[in-house]
Amino acid sequence: MFFRSAAALFLSLVALPASAACSGASYLDRMTAGQQMQLSAAVADMPYAEGLIWTATKDSAAITVVGTMHIYDARLKDLRTKLAKTITGADLVMLEATPEEEAKLQNLITTDPGRLFIVDGPTLPELVDEETWQLIASAASERGIPSFMAAKMQPWYLSLTLAVPSCAMSDMMQGVRGLDHMIMQDAEAAGVPMQAVEPYTTLFDLFEEDSFDEQIDMLRASMLVPDLQEQMFVAMLDRYFAEDIGRLWEMSRIAMSDVPDLDPVEANAMFDEMEDALLKTRNRNWIPVITEASETHDNILLAVGAGHLIGNEGVLRLLENEGWTITRGN
C-alpha cells in the first residue's frame, strides 16, 4: 500500500506544472542518453500524445476537449483568449470540479476537519523522528505554512502541500489559479451551466485509503526529492506549452527511477498502479457521464487535466471508441 501512496504523491505533483516563477535547471537536461531514448520510445506510438485542444463530433453533438493545468502560469492567458468564443458558445462546460463541488468540499472540510487535520491523538512531531520533523518544518516554513499548522495536518495532505515547490506556492496562497479556473470564471460570466465529471471527494478518497502509518511513510518519502521536484516542474512547464503531453507524462515515469532508495522495477510498478488509479480508471468513469450529457447538450466544452487526454485509455481514445470523430484544434 505504501508503494501506491508514494506513487500517488509523486504523480499528483509532477502532473501539475507550476508557476512560471519556477525556473532554472530542467529535468530534461539531467536525463541520461538512455533515459532520453526510453522517453522517445514511450511516446513514439502513443495516441494523442501531442495537443491541448481537440474536437469530438458525433451526429449533431460536438465536444471541445481541453487539456488544462491546475496551477497558474502567465502563458495560460493566451489559451484563455483562444477558448473565449468556444466557452461563450457552449451550452455546457464540464470540469473535474465546478464551483458547486468546490463549495461542497470546503463545507466538508469545515464540518469534518478530521479529513485534513489531526484532531485527536499525537501530532506529527511526535510521530516522526526529530531530524525528519525539522526537514518537514523547514519545508513548510519555506511555503508560508507555520510549523504548528503543519504539525496538525494529516500526513497525506501535508505530503501533497510540501510537494508543491516553494517557487509555485505564492500564487497558490494568493488564490491565483490555473486554466480550469479561468474557464470556470468565463463560463460563469457568460451564464453557461457547468457540470462535474466526478464526485467532489474522488481524490480525497484515493489518498485516504491508506493507513495512518502508510501516510507517515509517504510524508517521509516526500522529503527525499526537493531538487527533483523543482527540476520536474520546470521541465513540465516547457512540455505543457509545447503541447507535448505524452512526453510530459512519460518523463514523470522515468523520474521515478531517480528517487533515492527506490528500486527502478518497483518505481515502474508504482507508476503503472497509480496511472491506473489517477488517470485510466477515472477516464473510464467519466465517459458515461460525458455521453449522458451529450444526449441533452449539442455543444460541450470538456476541460480536464492534460494527462487525461493521452494514450489508449485517455479520454480522446475512449470517446473515439464510442464512435466520436476526433480532430485536433488550432
Side-chain angles (χ1 to χ4, degrees):
M1 289 292 286
F2 164 62
F3 287 154
R4 187 179 64 74
S5 297
L9 165 67
F10 192 85
L11 297 188
S12 68
L13 303 174
V14 297
L16 304 177
S19 161
C22 294
S23 58
S26 166
Y27 179 72
L28 287 169
D29 296 331
R30 68 174 271 179
M31 294 178 71
T32 66
Q35 288 175 322
Q36 292 282 3
M37 290 178 60
Q38 180 184 346
L39 181 57
S40 296
V43 300
D45 299 315
M46 179 186 289
Y48 304 110
E50 297 182 355
L52 290 176
I53 302 175
W54 299 81
T55 301
T57 55
K58 184 178 182 182
D59 300 326
S60 61
I63 304 173
T64 300
V65 183
V66 181
T68 67
M69 71 179 195
H70 307 311
I71 298 179
Y72 176 77
D73 184 281
R75 288 170 287 182
L76 290 172
K77 294 176 182 177
D78 291 337
L79 276 171
R80 184 178 193 172
T81 300
K82 184 183 292 188
L83 292 168
K85 290 183 179 179
T86 304
I87 294 169
T88 56
D91 52 16
L92 180 68
V93 169
M94 304 188 77
L95 303 127
E96 293 178 53
T98 71
E100 180 180 356
E101 277 69 41
E102 292 190 342
K104 289 179 180 178
L105 188 56
Q106 184 60 48
N107 182 65
L108 177 65
I109 294 169
T110 302
T111 57
D112 186 9
R115 297 295 294 262
L116 294 185
F117 297 96
I118 300 170
V119 294
D120 294 304
T123 58
L124 292 178
E126 302 167 89
L127 295 167
V128 299
D129 61 82
E130 178 63 19
E131 182 180 0
T132 300
W133 170 244
Q134 291 303 322
L135 287 172
I136 291 169
S138 176
S141 178
E142 289 175 5
R143 291 156 178 79
I145 302 168
S147 59
F148 73 85
M149 183 178 294
K152 296 181 180 180
M153 287 183 174
Q154 291 286 356
W156 70 266
Y157 177 48
L158 183 57
S159 295
L160 294 179
T161 303
L162 296 185
V164 176
S166 55
C167 57
M169 206 65 180
S170 59
D171 284 335
M172 294 184 66
M173 297 296 285
Q174 295 173 32
V176 181
R177 312 294 286 275
L179 182 60
D180 45 352
H181 276 79
M182 294 177 183
I183 291 170
M184 208 181 294
Q185 291 168 358
D186 293 344
E188 211 163 26
V192 180
M194 289 177 270
Q195 177 183 337
V197 292
E198 65 186 3
Y200 68 96
T201 59
T202 298
L203 290 179
F204 270 40
D205 294 340
L206 173 65
F207 289 107
E208 288 178 341
E209 287 179 3
D210 296 311
S211 71
F212 196 82
D213 288 342
E214 288 166 339
Q215 292 179 37
I216 291 290
D217 287 341
M218 179 170 68
L219 180 58
R220 288 193 179 97
S222 71
M223 295 291 99
L224 297 176
V225 288
D227 293 338
L228 181 58
Q229 287 171 357
E230 293 204 12
Q231 291 171 5
M232 282 297 300
F233 272 67
V234 171
M236 295 184 115
L237 278 168
D238 173 60
R239 290 302 88 205
Y240 178 83
F241 288 105
E243 303 195 11
D244 192 5
I245 308 306
R247 192 172 298 270
L248 181 159
W249 187 252
E250 289 301 320
M251 182 174 61
S252 308
R253 179 191 299 274
I254 292 170
M256 288 284 290
S257 64
D258 286 338
V259 175
D261 302 321
L262 185 59
D263 180 77
V265 175
E266 290 177 346
N268 195 58
M270 289 161 58
F271 193 99
D272 286 342
E273 189 175 350
M274 284 320 303
E275 183 179 47
D276 186 69
L278 286 173
L279 292 187
K280 294 179 180 179
T281 297
R282 293 170 70 205
N283 292 345
R284 290 192 294 268
N285 290 340
W286 293 351
I287 295 302
V289 180
I290 297 167
T291 299
E292 183 178 357
S294 72
E295 293 171 357
T296 53
H297 299 84
D298 293 330
N299 194 353
I300 295 173
L301 185 141
L302 171 67
V304 295
H308 291 281
L309 273 53
I310 62 175
N312 284 311
E313 295 186 72
V315 167
L316 295 170
R317 176 51 61 88
L318 294 176
L319 286 172
E320 186 180 0
N321 292 343
E322 293 292 318
W324 293 82
T325 299
I326 311 296
T327 55
R328 186 173 176 178
N330 296 321

mmCIF file of all heavy atoms in Angstrom, residues 65-109:
data_model
loop_
_atom_site.group_PDB
_atom_site.id
_atom_site.type_symbol
_atom_site.label_atom_id
_atom_site.label_comp_id
_atom_site.label_asym_id
_atom_site.label_seq_id
_atom_site.Cartn_x
_atom_site.Cartn_y
_atom_site.Cartn_z
ATOM 1 N N VAL A 65 -12.538 19.404 -26.350
ATOM 2 C CA VAL A 65 -11.800 18.800 -25.236
ATOM 3 C C VAL A 65 -10.516 19.598 -25.021
ATOM 4 O O VAL A 65 -9.719 19.758 -25.956
ATOM 5 C CB VAL A 65 -11.470 17.327 -25.512
ATOM 6 C CG1 VAL A 65 -10.769 16.699 -24.315
ATOM 7 C CG2 VAL A 65 -12.735 16.547 -25.863
ATOM 8 N N VAL A 66 -10.333 20.104 -23.820
ATOM 9 C CA VAL A 66 -9.189 20.957 -23.498
ATOM 10 C C VAL A 66 -8.367 20.303 -22.395
ATOM 11 O O VAL A 66 -8.907 19.915 -21.355
ATOM 12 C CB VAL A 66 -9.652 22.354 -23.021
ATOM 13 C CG1 VAL A 66 -8.443 23.230 -22.709
ATOM 14 C CG2 VAL A 66 -10.548 23.004 -24.066
ATOM 15 N N GLY A 67 -7.067 20.189 -22.606
ATOM 16 C CA GLY A 67 -6.162 19.692 -21.574
ATOM 17 C C GLY A 67 -5.658 20.858 -20.734
ATOM 18 O O GLY A 67 -4.982 21.756 -21.250
ATOM 19 N N THR A 68 -5.996 20.875 -19.466
ATOM 20 C CA THR A 68 -5.654 22.003 -18.595
ATOM 21 C C THR A 68 -4.453 21.676 -17.726
ATOM 22 O O THR A 68 -4.000 20.543 -17.638
ATOM 23 C CB THR A 68 -6.834 22.354 -17.673
ATOM 24 O OG1 THR A 68 -7.048 21.281 -16.741
ATOM 25 C CG2 THR A 68 -8.110 22.580 -18.477
ATOM 26 N N MET A 69 -3.954 22.717 -17.064
ATOM 27 C CA MET A 69 -3.104 22.520 -15.905
ATOM 28 C C MET A 69 -3.708 23.342 -14.779
ATOM 29 O O MET A 69 -4.347 24.368 -15.000
ATOM 30 C CB MET A 69 -1.650 22.854 -16.180
ATOM 31 C CG MET A 69 -1.295 24.296 -16.361
ATOM 32 S SD MET A 69 0.504 24.411 -16.656
ATOM 33 C CE MET A 69 0.762 26.168 -16.396
ATOM 34 N N HIS A 70 -3.519 22.876 -13.562
ATOM 35 C CA HIS A 70 -4.291 23.392 -12.435
ATOM 36 C C HIS A 70 -3.591 24.511 -11.670
ATOM 37 O O HIS A 70 -4.175 25.066 -10.753
ATOM 38 C CB HIS A 70 -4.606 22.247 -11.465
ATOM 39 C CG HIS A 70 -5.265 21.070 -12.122
ATOM 40 N ND1 HIS A 70 -6.353 21.191 -12.959
ATOM 41 C CD2 HIS A 70 -4.987 19.745 -12.085
ATOM 42 C CE1 HIS A 70 -6.715 19.987 -13.392
ATOM 43 N NE2 HIS A 70 -5.900 19.099 -12.879
ATOM 44 N N ILE A 71 -2.368 24.822 -12.034
ATOM 45 C CA ILE A 71 -1.609 25.848 -11.342
ATOM 46 C C ILE A 71 -1.284 26.957 -12.335
ATOM 47 O O ILE A 71 -1.075 26.711 -13.520
ATOM 48 C CB ILE A 71 -0.335 25.261 -10.705
ATOM 49 C CG1 ILE A 71 -0.721 24.215 -9.652
ATOM 50 C CG2 ILE A 71 0.513 26.345 -10.056
ATOM 51 C CD1 ILE A 71 0.457 23.544 -8.978
ATOM 52 N N TYR A 72 -1.231 28.175 -11.860
ATOM 53 C CA TYR A 72 -1.125 29.352 -12.728
ATOM 54 C C TYR A 72 0.228 29.484 -13.414
ATOM 55 O O TYR A 72 1.280 29.187 -12.850
ATOM 56 C CB TYR A 72 -1.381 30.613 -11.903
ATOM 57 C CG TYR A 72 -1.207 31.882 -12.703
ATOM 58 C CD1 TYR A 72 -2.192 32.293 -13.600
ATOM 59 C CD2 TYR A 72 -0.050 32.650 -12.587
ATOM 60 C CE1 TYR A 72 -2.032 33.448 -14.346
ATOM 61 C CE2 TYR A 72 0.119 33.814 -13.326
ATOM 62 C CZ TYR A 72 -0.876 34.204 -14.205
ATOM 63 O OH TYR A 72 -0.712 35.338 -14.949
ATOM 64 N N ASP A 73 0.166 29.958 -14.651
ATOM 65 C CA ASP A 73 1.327 30.436 -15.389
ATOM 66 C C ASP A 73 0.815 31.540 -16.317
ATOM 67 O O ASP A 73 -0.272 31.423 -16.895
ATOM 68 C CB ASP A 73 1.964 29.309 -16.201
ATOM 69 C CG ASP A 73 3.230 29.752 -16.911
ATOM 70 O OD1 ASP A 73 3.126 30.415 -17.965
ATOM 71 O OD2 ASP A 73 4.325 29.455 -16.412
ATOM 72 N N ALA A 74 1.573 32.611 -16.451
ATOM 73 C CA ALA A 74 1.119 33.763 -17.237
ATOM 74 C C ALA A 74 0.793 33.376 -18.682
ATOM 75 O O ALA A 74 -0.078 33.985 -19.313
ATOM 76 C CB ALA A 74 2.179 34.863 -17.206
ATOM 77 N N ARG A 75 1.465 32.355 -19.212
ATOM 78 C CA ARG A 75 1.223 31.950 -20.601
ATOM 79 C C ARG A 75 -0.152 31.326 -20.803
ATOM 80 O O ARG A 75 -0.611 31.166 -21.938
ATOM 81 C CB ARG A 75 2.325 30.970 -21.038
ATOM 82 C CG ARG A 75 3.672 31.649 -21.251
ATOM 83 C CD ARG A 75 4.780 30.635 -21.430
ATOM 84 N NE ARG A 75 5.114 29.968 -20.174
ATOM 85 C CZ ARG A 75 6.086 29.062 -20.052
ATOM 86 N NH1 ARG A 75 6.794 28.714 -21.122
ATOM 87 N NH2 ARG A 75 6.329 28.513 -18.889
ATOM 88 N N LEU A 76 -0.828 30.990 -19.718
ATOM 89 C CA LEU A 76 -2.185 30.460 -19.847
ATOM 90 C C LEU A 76 -3.160 31.498 -20.390
ATOM 91 O O LEU A 76 -4.229 31.149 -20.896
ATOM 92 C CB LEU A 76 -2.680 29.961 -18.487
ATOM 93 C CG LEU A 76 -2.014 28.692 -17.947
ATOM 94 C CD1 LEU A 76 -2.472 28.431 -16.515
ATOM 95 C CD2 LEU A 76 -2.334 27.488 -18.825
ATOM 96 N N LYS A 77 -2.805 32.768 -20.279
ATOM 97 C CA LYS A 77 -3.704 33.822 -20.762
ATOM 98 C C LYS A 77 -3.981 33.675 -22.254
ATOM 99 O O LYS A 77 -5.084 33.969 -22.727
ATOM 100 C CB LYS A 77 -3.110 35.202 -20.457
ATOM 101 C CG LYS A 77 -3.022 35.505 -18.965
ATOM 102 C CD LYS A 77 -2.349 36.840 -18.704
ATOM 103 C CE LYS A 77 -2.219 37.107 -17.209
ATOM 104 N NZ LYS A 77 -1.503 38.378 -16.919
ATOM 105 N N ASP A 78 -2.983 33.246 -23.017
ATOM 106 C CA ASP A 78 -3.182 33.058 -24.456
ATOM 107 C C ASP A 78 -4.190 31.935 -24.720
ATOM 108 O O ASP A 78 -5.032 32.050 -25.610
ATOM 109 C CB ASP A 78 -1.851 32.743 -25.138
ATOM 110 C CG ASP A 78 -0.903 33.929 -25.143
ATOM 111 O OD1 ASP A 78 -1.392 35.075 -25.026
ATOM 112 O OD2 ASP A 78 0.321 33.715 -25.250
ATOM 113 N N LEU A 79 -4.088 30.845 -23.954
ATOM 114 C CA LEU A 79 -5.049 29.755 -24.113
ATOM 115 C C LEU A 79 -6.450 30.214 -23.710
ATOM 116 O O LEU A 79 -7.443 29.860 -24.356
ATOM 117 C CB LEU A 79 -4.625 28.561 -23.248
ATOM 118 C CG LEU A 79 -3.604 27.594 -23.838
ATOM 119 C CD1 LEU A 79 -3.133 26.610 -22.791
ATOM 120 C CD2 LEU A 79 -4.190 26.867 -25.030
ATOM 121 N N ARG A 80 -6.517 31.009 -22.662
ATOM 122 C CA ARG A 80 -7.814 31.521 -22.209
ATOM 123 C C ARG A 80 -8.456 32.358 -23.312
ATOM 124 O O ARG A 80 -9.655 32.212 -23.603
ATOM 125 C CB ARG A 80 -7.622 32.369 -20.954
ATOM 126 C CG ARG A 80 -8.919 32.877 -20.355
ATOM 127 C CD ARG A 80 -8.663 33.680 -19.082
ATOM 128 N NE ARG A 80 -9.881 33.901 -18.340
ATOM 129 C CZ ARG A 80 -9.922 34.444 -17.124
ATOM 130 N NH1 ARG A 80 -8.802 34.825 -16.525
ATOM 131 N NH2 ARG A 80 -11.088 34.613 -16.513
ATOM 132 N N THR A 81 -7.670 33.213 -23.937
ATOM 133 C CA THR A 81 -8.190 34.043 -25.024
ATOM 134 C C THR A 81 -8.657 33.188 -26.192
ATOM 135 O O THR A 81 -9.714 33.429 -26.791
ATOM 136 C CB THR A 81 -7.105 35.034 -25.493
ATOM 137 O OG1 THR A 81 -6.734 35.875 -24.398
ATOM 138 C CG2 THR A 81 -7.605 35.890 -26.647
ATOM 139 N N LYS A 82 -7.877 32.175 -26.518
ATOM 140 C CA LYS A 82 -8.216 31.284 -27.624
ATOM 141 C C LYS A 82 -9.539 30.555 -27.382
ATOM 142 O O LYS A 82 -10.301 30.275 -28.318
ATOM 143 C CB LYS A 82 -7.086 30.265 -27.839
ATOM 144 C CG LYS A 82 -7.276 29.344 -29.024
ATOM 145 C CD LYS A 82 -6.150 28.328 -29.129
ATOM 146 C CE LYS A 82 -4.844 28.976 -29.479
ATOM 147 N NZ LYS A 82 -3.787 27.950 -29.772
ATOM 148 N N LEU A 83 -9.836 30.264 -26.129
ATOM 149 C CA LEU A 83 -11.030 29.488 -25.788
ATOM 150 C C LEU A 83 -12.265 30.356 -25.515
ATOM 151 O O LEU A 83 -13.358 29.811 -25.331
ATOM 152 C CB LEU A 83 -10.754 28.638 -24.548
ATOM 153 C CG LEU A 83 -9.747 27.502 -24.719
ATOM 154 C CD1 LEU A 83 -9.352 26.931 -23.362
ATOM 155 C CD2 LEU A 83 -10.335 26.398 -25.610
ATOM 156 N N ALA A 84 -12.096 31.664 -25.504
ATOM 157 C CA ALA A 84 -13.178 32.552 -25.066
ATOM 158 C C ALA A 84 -14.464 32.341 -25.863
ATOM 159 O O ALA A 84 -15.555 32.169 -25.289
ATOM 160 C CB ALA A 84 -12.725 34.002 -25.149
ATOM 161 N N LYS A 85 -14.381 32.332 -27.191
ATOM 162 C CA LYS A 85 -15.590 32.177 -28.018
ATOM 163 C C LYS A 85 -16.187 30.782 -27.868
ATOM 164 O O LYS A 85 -17.411 30.616 -27.897
ATOM 165 C CB LYS A 85 -15.265 32.464 -29.481
ATOM 166 C CG LYS A 85 -14.978 33.927 -29.774
ATOM 167 C CD LYS A 85 -14.744 34.155 -31.257
ATOM 168 C CE LYS A 85 -14.474 35.635 -31.548
ATOM 169 N NZ LYS A 85 -14.210 35.879 -32.996
ATOM 170 N N THR A 86 -15.332 29.795 -27.706
ATOM 171 C CA THR A 86 -15.829 28.427 -27.527
ATOM 172 C C THR A 86 -16.624 28.308 -26.233
ATOM 173 O O THR A 86 -17.672 27.643 -26.194
ATOM 174 C CB THR A 86 -14.646 27.439 -27.497
ATOM 175 O OG1 THR A 86 -13.870 27.599 -28.686
ATOM 176 C CG2 THR A 86 -15.138 26.007 -27.415
ATOM 177 N N ILE A 87 -16.151 28.966 -25.186
ATOM 178 C CA ILE A 87 -16.851 28.915 -23.906
ATOM 179 C C ILE A 87 -18.205 29.606 -24.003
ATOM 180 O O ILE A 87 -19.239 29.049 -23.593
ATOM 181 C CB ILE A 87 -15.995 29.557 -22.794
ATOM 182 C CG1 ILE A 87 -14.723 28.728 -22.551
ATOM 183 C CG2 ILE A 87 -16.797 29.684 -21.496
ATOM 184 C CD1 ILE A 87 -13.699 29.407 -21.674
ATOM 185 N N THR A 88 -18.229 30.800 -24.549
ATOM 186 C CA THR A 88 -19.500 31.533 -24.630
ATOM 187 C C THR A 88 -20.486 30.861 -25.581
ATOM 188 O O THR A 88 -21.703 31.004 -25.418
ATOM 189 C CB THR A 88 -19.265 32.982 -25.090
ATOM 190 O OG1 THR A 88 -18.569 32.980 -26.352
ATOM 191 C CG2 THR A 88 -18.435 33.745 -24.069
ATOM 192 N N GLY A 89 -19.973 30.093 -26.536
ATOM 193 C CA GLY A 89 -20.856 29.400 -27.471
ATOM 194 C C GLY A 89 -21.300 28.028 -27.003
ATOM 195 O O GLY A 89 -22.143 27.386 -27.648
ATOM 196 N N ALA A 90 -20.754 27.566 -25.890
ATOM 197 C CA ALA A 90 -21.109 26.237 -25.376
ATOM 198 C C ALA A 90 -22.446 26.277 -24.646
ATOM 199 O O ALA A 90 -22.854 27.322 -24.115
ATOM 200 C CB ALA A 90 -20.017 25.739 -24.432
ATOM 201 N N ASP A 91 -23.133 25.138 -24.630
ATOM 202 C CA ASP A 91 -24.341 25.059 -23.799
ATOM 203 C C ASP A 91 -24.085 24.263 -22.519
ATOM 204 O O ASP A 91 -24.973 24.108 -21.695
ATOM 205 C CB ASP A 91 -25.530 24.494 -24.566
ATOM 206 C CG ASP A 91 -25.238 23.177 -25.272
ATOM 207 O OD1 ASP A 91 -24.227 22.540 -24.935
ATOM 208 O OD2 ASP A 91 -26.024 22.802 -26.160
ATOM 209 N N LEU A 92 -22.836 23.781 -22.338
ATOM 210 C CA LEU A 92 -22.439 23.133 -21.094
ATOM 211 C C LEU A 92 -20.919 23.095 -21.024
ATOM 212 O O LEU A 92 -20.251 22.803 -22.017
ATOM 213 C CB LEU A 92 -22.983 21.696 -21.016
ATOM 214 C CG LEU A 92 -22.636 20.907 -19.746
ATOM 215 C CD1 LEU A 92 -23.343 21.502 -18.517
ATOM 216 C CD2 LEU A 92 -22.990 19.429 -19.893
ATOM 217 N N VAL A 93 -20.377 23.419 -19.846
ATOM 218 C CA VAL A 93 -18.941 23.265 -19.585
ATOM 219 C C VAL A 93 -18.784 22.172 -18.532
ATOM 220 O O VAL A 93 -19.387 22.244 -17.457
ATOM 221 C CB VAL A 93 -18.314 24.582 -19.095
ATOM 222 C CG1 VAL A 93 -16.900 24.338 -18.566
ATOM 223 C CG2 VAL A 93 -18.281 25.607 -20.228
ATOM 224 N N MET A 94 -17.977 21.159 -18.854
ATOM 225 C CA MET A 94 -17.725 20.057 -17.937
ATOM 226 C C MET A 94 -16.286 20.134 -17.436
ATOM 227 O O MET A 94 -15.357 20.361 -18.217
ATOM 228 C CB MET A 94 -17.978 18.712 -18.624
ATOM 229 C CG MET A 94 -19.371 18.568 -19.205
ATOM 230 S SD MET A 94 -19.718 16.883 -19.817
ATOM 231 C CE MET A 94 -20.020 16.027 -18.249
ATOM 232 N N LEU A 95 -16.113 19.946 -16.120
ATOM 233 C CA LEU A 95 -14.808 20.064 -15.475
ATOM 234 C C LEU A 95 -14.649 18.961 -14.438
ATOM 235 O O LEU A 95 -15.618 18.291 -14.090
ATOM 236 C CB LEU A 95 -14.683 21.421 -14.776
ATOM 237 C CG LEU A 95 -14.883 22.674 -15.621
ATOM 238 C CD1 LEU A 95 -15.924 23.574 -14.992
ATOM 239 C CD2 LEU A 95 -13.572 23.428 -15.774
ATOM 240 N N GLU A 96 -13.428 18.807 -13.950
ATOM 241 C CA GLU A 96 -13.214 17.851 -12.862
ATOM 242 C C GLU A 96 -13.967 18.286 -11.609
ATOM 243 O O GLU A 96 -14.448 17.456 -10.839
ATOM 244 C CB GLU A 96 -11.723 17.698 -12.582
ATOM 245 C CG GLU A 96 -10.963 17.029 -13.734
ATOM 246 C CD GLU A 96 -9.476 16.926 -13.474
ATOM 247 O OE1 GLU A 96 -9.101 16.389 -12.412
ATOM 248 O OE2 GLU A 96 -8.681 17.391 -14.321
ATOM 249 N N ALA A 97 -14.056 19.591 -11.409
ATOM 250 C CA ALA A 97 -14.829 20.137 -10.283
ATOM 251 C C ALA A 97 -15.329 21.515 -10.681
ATOM 252 O O ALA A 97 -14.594 22.300 -11.292
ATOM 253 C CB ALA A 97 -13.987 20.226 -9.022
ATOM 254 N N THR A 98 -16.573 21.815 -10.350
ATOM 255 C CA THR A 98 -17.172 23.115 -10.611
ATOM 256 C C THR A 98 -17.188 23.923 -9.312
ATOM 257 O O THR A 98 -16.842 23.391 -8.245
ATOM 258 C CB THR A 98 -18.610 22.957 -11.127
ATOM 259 O OG1 THR A 98 -19.437 22.504 -10.034
ATOM 260 C CG2 THR A 98 -18.681 21.950 -12.269
ATOM 261 N N PRO A 99 -17.587 25.181 -9.360
ATOM 262 C CA PRO A 99 -17.711 25.940 -8.100
ATOM 263 C C PRO A 99 -18.610 25.243 -7.082
ATOM 264 O O PRO A 99 -18.366 25.331 -5.872
ATOM 265 C CB PRO A 99 -18.313 27.270 -8.561
ATOM 266 C CG PRO A 99 -17.808 27.439 -9.960
ATOM 267 C CD PRO A 99 -17.820 26.057 -10.536
ATOM 268 N N GLU A 100 -19.621 24.535 -7.559
ATOM 269 C CA GLU A 100 -20.510 23.820 -6.637
ATOM 270 C C GLU A 100 -19.754 22.722 -5.897
ATOM 271 O O GLU A 100 -19.897 22.563 -4.675
ATOM 272 C CB GLU A 100 -21.691 23.220 -7.401
ATOM 273 C CG GLU A 100 -22.666 22.466 -6.518
ATOM 274 C CD GLU A 100 -23.839 21.884 -7.290
ATOM 275 O OE1 GLU A 100 -23.929 22.130 -8.513
ATOM 276 O OE2 GLU A 100 -24.653 21.181 -6.666
ATOM 277 N N GLU A 101 -18.947 21.947 -6.619
ATOM 278 C CA GLU A 101 -18.166 20.889 -5.970
ATOM 279 C C GLU A 101 -17.134 21.484 -5.008
ATOM 280 O O GLU A 101 -16.888 20.945 -3.934
ATOM 281 C CB GLU A 101 -17.463 20.020 -7.018
ATOM 282 C CG GLU A 101 -18.312 18.924 -7.610
ATOM 283 C CD GLU A 101 -19.416 19.491 -8.493
ATOM 284 O OE1 GLU A 101 -19.135 20.454 -9.248
ATOM 285 O OE2 GLU A 101 -20.551 18.993 -8.415
ATOM 286 N N GLU A 102 -16.530 22.595 -5.412
ATOM 287 C CA GLU A 102 -15.541 23.221 -4.540
ATOM 288 C C GLU A 102 -16.191 23.719 -3.252
ATOM 289 O O GLU A 102 -15.594 23.635 -2.177
ATOM 290 C CB GLU A 102 -14.840 24.357 -5.285
ATOM 291 C CG GLU A 102 -13.952 23.852 -6.415
ATOM 292 C CD GLU A 102 -13.083 24.942 -7.001
ATOM 293 O OE1 GLU A 102 -13.401 26.137 -6.790
ATOM 294 O OE2 GLU A 102 -12.079 24.605 -7.655
ATOM 295 N N ALA A 103 -17.396 24.245 -3.377
ATOM 296 C CA ALA A 103 -18.121 24.702 -2.185
ATOM 297 C C ALA A 103 -18.461 23.517 -1.275
ATOM 298 O O ALA A 103 -18.355 23.608 -0.042
ATOM 299 C CB ALA A 103 -19.381 25.444 -2.590
ATOM 300 N N LYS A 104 -18.865 22.405 -1.874
ATOM 301 C CA LYS A 104 -19.164 21.204 -1.090
ATOM 302 C C LYS A 104 -17.917 20.708 -0.374
ATOM 303 O O LYS A 104 -17.978 20.280 0.793
ATOM 304 C CB LYS A 104 -19.713 20.107 -1.997
ATOM 305 C CG LYS A 104 -21.117 20.351 -2.523
ATOM 306 C CD LYS A 104 -21.550 19.210 -3.429
ATOM 307 C CE LYS A 104 -22.956 19.418 -3.969
ATOM 308 N NZ LYS A 104 -23.350 18.331 -4.897
ATOM 309 N N LEU A 105 -16.786 20.763 -1.069
ATOM 310 C CA LEU A 105 -15.537 20.306 -0.471
ATOM 311 C C LEU A 105 -15.141 21.214 0.689
ATOM 312 O O LEU A 105 -14.717 20.729 1.751
ATOM 313 C CB LEU A 105 -14.438 20.282 -1.532
ATOM 314 C CG LEU A 105 -13.106 19.666 -1.143
ATOM 315 C CD1 LEU A 105 -13.286 18.246 -0.641
ATOM 316 C CD2 LEU A 105 -12.142 19.710 -2.310
ATOM 317 N N GLN A 106 -15.293 22.514 0.504
ATOM 318 C CA GLN A 106 -14.971 23.439 1.572
ATOM 319 C C GLN A 106 -15.877 23.218 2.771
ATOM 320 O O GLN A 106 -15.434 23.263 3.923
ATOM 321 C CB GLN A 106 -15.114 24.887 1.072
ATOM 322 C CG GLN A 106 -14.705 25.933 2.092
ATOM 323 C CD GLN A 106 -13.247 25.777 2.505
ATOM 324 O OE1 GLN A 106 -12.356 25.649 1.661
ATOM 325 N NE2 GLN A 106 -12.989 25.782 3.804
ATOM 326 N N ASN A 107 -17.142 22.949 2.509
ATOM 327 C CA ASN A 107 -18.080 22.684 3.597
ATOM 328 C C ASN A 107 -17.708 21.399 4.334
ATOM 329 O O ASN A 107 -17.798 21.323 5.566
ATOM 330 C CB ASN A 107 -19.498 22.580 3.052
ATOM 331 C CG ASN A 107 -20.519 22.348 4.153
ATOM 332 O OD1 ASN A 107 -20.730 23.188 5.005
ATOM 333 N ND2 ASN A 107 -21.171 21.185 4.121
ATOM 334 N N LEU A 108 -17.272 20.394 3.570
ATOM 335 C CA LEU A 108 -16.854 19.130 4.186
ATOM 336 C C LEU A 108 -15.669 19.353 5.113
ATOM 337 O O LEU A 108 -15.623 18.817 6.231
ATOM 338 C CB LEU A 108 -16.492 18.120 3.099
ATOM 339 C CG LEU A 108 -15.967 16.770 3.575
ATOM 340 C CD1 LEU A 108 -17.049 16.007 4.337
ATOM 341 C CD2 LEU A 108 -15.461 15.942 2.400
ATOM 342 N N ILE A 109 -14.723 20.166 4.671
ATOM 343 C CA ILE A 109 -13.546 20.445 5.483
ATOM 344 C C ILE A 109 -13.941 21.186 6.765
ATOM 345 O O ILE A 109 -13.404 20.930 7.847
ATOM 346 C CB ILE A 109 -12.525 21.268 4.673
ATOM 347 C CG1 ILE A 109 -11.977 20.418 3.513
ATOM 348 C CG2 ILE A 109 -11.387 21.747 5.559
ATOM 349 C CD1 ILE A 109 -11.184 21.209 2.502
#
